[in-house]
Amino acid sequence: MRKQLLVVLAAVALTTTAVPAYATPSKSSVTWGACPADVASPILQCASLEVPLDYRQPDGKKISIEISRLPSTDAAKRRGVLLFNPGGPGGLGLAFPLTWARLGVPSSVLAEYDLIGFDPRGVDHSSPVSCDLKPEQLSLAPKYAHDREEVVQASESAKQIAQQCAASASAPILPYITTANTARDMDQIRAALGEQKISYFGLSYGTYLGAVYASMFPDQTDRVVLDSVVGSTGVDVTTVRRFGEGMQDRFPDFAKWAAIRHSIYGLGATPAEVAATFSKLADRLDEQPAWGVDGSTFRLGTHSLTYQTLAFPVLAQAWQALLNNQAPPAGSMRLPVTGPEQSQRATMISVLCGDNAWPRSISTYQRNVAEDRAAYPMIGGATANVWPCAHWAAQPLEPPVQFSDQGPSNLLLVQNLRDPATPLSGALETREAFGDRARLVTVDQGGHGVGLPYLNSCGFGAVINYLVNGTRPDTDKYCGAEANATRSLTAQQQQAAGKVMDQLRRF
């Protein structure tokens, strides 16, 4: 049953017309300089802002938020700022404006906006937090549970992570690492930049953050694009269970792709045979893990490599190696551990547990696992299992923000029909919650992400047309399937696309 949520929204008249351009902001209080060494670029500028840790006590403890700017290429055409969040929770955002630009974004977008990135509170350069996780704990998704006892075992592992968070030096800060507070930080960024309004592009979890901002600060939104849409309850127990649904929606795309290339990879001559190979490998690795890959890691690693069709060759190579009792390509079945991984994971846990109250009863998860293992057998036994939030030390400090149809009509939602992480059901739920404030563009495509230049031109065109011209469809729109254009990527685009894929493979 959905929680009853608190919402405080200004009454704003509905409009379908474009927001008037405003080329000159009021005085900015930001002093731009060089970016940290790990994101340094001759054309990317960075700055630090102080914001309240607890917005209920604005004069209390402060934390630092690191922001970046890729300046407009044409001051005469500049409309304003376009703020980004690439997902997560806990995704690195400081370098994302440059990554997005290098993917092949039209020059008109780069002229219209200063592209603004930021590491959200708790992440890397923005007062980083930590739960002192061990390397084997960095993959937060629970193990695949085959029975009730394995749910109990997962609960013990989840409890250990929650206890480590509560005992960490960051423990006093973690309750304030929430979506609502990050949205408040975004408004502090807007004010510091001297802007009346901000445009926004959010991907994956970033869609929920953008929707929360549009609900809390409707008058401060200009053009809002939400790509690969999380449901209206945020990243809660319902949303993580949707990963199982998304995998069942998306896997047939890979099965068809692999069957066509059976002579190369030997995974099956038909989609049904490819699906049988998945089950064969998962069962084998359940009984006898190999090369550091057990059945659960195999299932979740396969899921993460279906996020982008670009990754299908790597996924096929990993399966082929495992079938032949060889080591899979490095990083294919398991995410590499990087420097800021601790802060990213601690932030993710804090947002998951601080935005919503999760079920505490193990029997609830045992029931969920049994249901999802039957409905979504590929990974449902993992994603419905016990997460650290079942043992989180503190209850959320405030109710989640409720979306509302009261406010400016300036949201564009774009969504693939077969998204492995944020399935269509969540987008439809969010679309309904916003009513006439939103338009939804659905794309006959698999994968996680629509607004990337190398994907569906109809879906990407809808994003660019709105950001540049302020034009949204009069009604919800459908984009048909197109031949994948990834083979025409330049070396720079391939590198940028790889960074986006790494960002999206969060669990």
Side-chain angles (χ1 to χ4, degrees):
M1 185 174 65
R2 295 199 185 282
K3 304 175 181 69
Q4 297 301 311
L5 308 174
L6 178 66
V7 58
V8 181
L9 295 171
V12 181
L14 290 173
T15 176
T16 57
T17 59
V19 180
Y22 50 95
T24 305
S26 58
K27 185 177 180 180
S28 171
S29 60
V30 174
T31 301
W32 296 106
C35 290
D38 59 328
V39 293
S41 163
I43 58 175
L44 195 65
Q45 305 166 333
C46 287
S48 297
L49 300 179
E50 280 198 344
V51 300
L53 171 66
D54 181 357
Y55 278 89
R56 299 171 303 178
Q57 300 180 25
D59 297 325
K61 180 178 174 61
K62 299 294 194 296
I63 60 174
S64 175
I65 303 297
E66 190 76 8
I67 65 175
S68 63
R69 178 177 71 167
L70 189 64
S72 161
T73 58
D74 189 335
K77 295 181 179 179
R78 181 188 182 278
R79 175 184 178 81
V81 299
L82 176 61
L83 193 69
F84 290 91
N85 182 276
L92 303 171
L94 211 58
F96 194 78
L98 189 57
T99 298
W100 199 62
R102 286 175 172 170
L103 282 169
V105 175
S107 59
S108 55
V109 175
L110 303 180
E112 290 265 345
Y113 298 98
D114 293 344
L115 305 186
I116 305 294
F118 71 108
D119 281 347
R121 58 170 51 205
V123 178
D124 201 13
H125 299 290
S126 294
S127 297
V129 294
S130 174
C131 284
D132 302 322
L133 299 176
K134 302 172 184 177
E136 64 270 19
Q137 294 175 316
L138 289 171
S139 179
L140 294 179
K143 286 194 171 184
Y144 191 96
H146 300 81
D147 53 39
R148 294 172 63 85
E149 178 55 32
E150 289 184 347
V151 177
V152 176
Q153 294 170 9
S155 179
E156 289 302 311
S157 298
K159 181 187 293 185
Q160 180 61 40
I161 291 176
Q163 290 174 344
Q164 287 172 220
C165 292
S168 72
S170 301
I173 297 175
L174 298 183
Y176 304 96
I177 307 296
T178 64
T179 300
N181 278 334
T182 303
R184 295 178 178 113
D185 294 343
M186 286 168 54
D187 206 53
Q188 293 285 302
I189 294 171
R190 175 201 60 78
L193 294 175
E195 300 288 342
Q196 301 170 24
K197 300 174 184 287
I198 55 173
S199 292
Y200 178 84
F201 183 101
L203 182 62
S204 192
Y205 161 77
T207 65
Y208 180 65
L209 174 60
V212 166
Y213 183 84
S215 299
M216 296 176 68
F217 303 99
D219 287 334
Q220 278 68 58
T221 56
D222 187 8
R223 297 169 181 172
V224 178
V225 176
L226 308 180
D227 182 350
S228 303
V229 186
V230 173
S232 62
T233 58
V235 189
D236 63 354
V237 67
T238 298
T239 299
V240 297
R241 291 179 70 183
R242 280 188 171 130
F243 280 99
E245 175 188 348
M247 179 63 166
Q248 298 295 143
D249 290 345
R250 172 60 162 160
F251 183 78
D253 290 337
F254 173 71
K256 181 179 178 181
W257 181 94
I260 292 171
R261 295 161 179 82
H262 176 60
S263 62
I264 302 173
Y265 301 108
L267 305 182
T270 67
E273 290 180 4
V274 176
T277 300
F278 174 89
S279 299
K280 174 184 175 180
L281 280 170
D283 292 344
R284 179 203 292 179
L285 293 165
D286 278 337
E287 294 183 6
Q288 188 174 359
W291 308 102
V293 179
D294 60 16
S296 185
T297 303
F298 169 75
R299 291 178 174 91
L300 294 171
T302 294
H303 172 249
S304 71
L305 286 170
T306 65
Y307 278 33
Q308 290 283 310
T309 303
L310 271 175
F312 280 3
V314 175
L315 178 56
Q317 291 164 19
W319 282 30
Q320 184 183 46
L322 290 168
L323 279 172
N324 294 322
N325 295 312
Q326 297 173 349
S332 57
M333 290 287 102
R334 191 182 296 273
L335 289 176
V337 178
T338 58
E341 196 78 7
Q342 283 285 348
S343 68
Q344 291 181 273
R345 290 308 197 231
T347 296
M348 178 180 286
I349 300 170
S350 300
V351 172
L352 264 64
C353 305
D355 278 7
N356 291 278
W358 287 52
R360 299 274 176 164
S361 169
I362 292 179
S363 63
T364 298
Y365 294 95
Q366 290 172 325
R367 182 172 62 252
N368 290 350
V369 165
E371 290 175 357
D372 287 11
R373 203 170 50 231
Y376 313 118
M378 301 191 81
I379 64 168
T383 51
N385 209 345
V386 186
W387 293 70
C389 303
H391 302 284
W392 201 241
Q395 291 295 318
L397 296 178
E398 60 181 317
V401 176
Q402 183 178 4
F403 301 167
S404 171
D405 59 3
Q406 299 300 303
S409 184
N410 62 354
L411 280 69
L412 178 67
L413 283 56
V414 290
Q415 176 71 36
N416 288 332
L417 293 182
R418 300 177 301 282
D419 189 315
T422 56
L424 179 62
S425 57
L428 295 174
E429 179 182 276
T430 297
R431 170 69 179 87
E432 181 179 6
F434 277 114
D436 195 52
R437 293 187 67 186
R439 300 288 184 272
L440 173 63
V441 176
T442 53
V443 181
D444 186 359
Q445 176 176 264
H448 193 45
V450 175
L452 302 174
Y454 57 84
L455 298 174
N456 183 282
S457 63
C458 172
F460 179 67
V463 171
I464 298 303
N465 196 30
Y466 183 45
L467 290 176
V468 175
N469 301 315
T471 304
R472 295 184 312 167
D474 292 333
T475 60
D476 291 348
K477 179 179 179 179
Y478 171 79
C479 288
E482 297 177 1
N484 195 287
T486 55
R487 59 183 175 273
S488 63
L489 289 180
T490 65
Q492 178 176 277
Q493 288 173 319
Q494 289 176 354
Q495 184 180 33
K499 290 181 179 180
V500 172
M501 285 194 293
D502 287 344
Q503 277 284 76
L504 293 177
R505 295 175 62 198
R506 295 313 316 141
F507 291 127

